Amino acid sequence: QLMESGGGSVQAGGSLTLSCTASGYTFPNYCMAWFRLAAGKQREWVATIDRVRRTTYPDSVRGRFTISQDDGKNTLYLRMNSLTPEDTAMYYCAALYRPYGGTCPRFFGDFGYWGQGTQVTVSS
């Protein structure tokens, strides 16, 4: 089970940190990711982190967003800086069981476990 928190409303240029608490997971065996869904758009990949802590981001958030995880707390984070109204969306964490490592995918259809989402709204 995955549960996100930390969403809210913020002005452009502000920051938020999202959290995703996992129960029943052992993080090193999973690819973990954040996706977002904005009104009228398709679900968009935001960040991934693999079992050796390699992180990847799309151009739209690279340099502004940082994905990290705390294995002891079984919690995934997404630090978001320099937010713009284009970042307004429902944010979801996702997990893919991958005990043998390898590159994490970026397509939402590859991830089998999802949280319920947390809303981020950025006003101009």
Side-chain angles (χ1 to χ4, degrees):
Q1 181 179 2
L2 300 171
M3 183 169 294
E4 302 94 337
S5 61
S9 297
V10 64
Q11 288 191 326
S15 299
L16 281 174
T17 298
L18 307 183
S19 300
C20 173
T21 301
S23 57
Y25 295 85
T26 304
F27 269 172
N29 290 330
Y30 288 82
C31 283
M32 301 298 299
W34 288 96
F35 289 82
R36 64 187 180 186
L37 182 61
K41 296 185 178 181
Q42 293 187 336
R43 194 168 302 199
E44 178 187 10
W45 163 63
V46 174
T48 50
I49 185 167
D50 68 13
R51 59 182 288 126
V52 295
R53 306 295 179 95
R54 286 177 302 202
T55 59
T56 54
Y57 309 90
D59 290 344
S60 58
V61 306
R62 186 179 297 114
R64 300 188 298 122
F65 290 11
T66 303
I67 188 172
S68 62
Q69 63 188 48
D70 185 328
D71 292 350
K73 296 182 178 180
N74 250 23
T75 301
L76 180 74
Y77 301 99
L78 184 69
R79 174 66 178 178
M80 305 184 294
N81 296 325
S82 303
L83 286 162
T84 74
E86 288 68 38
D87 296 315
T88 294
M90 185 74 80
Y91 284 71
Y92 300 87
C93 66
L96 169 67
Y97 184 59
R98 184 156 286 188
Y100 302 110
T103 302
C104 291
R106 304 174 181 182
F107 178 57
F108 69 86
D110 291 322
F111 288 81
Y113 303 95
W114 293 85
Q116 83 291 347
T118 186
Q119 177 68 35
V120 172
T121 302
V122 185
S123 58
S124 58

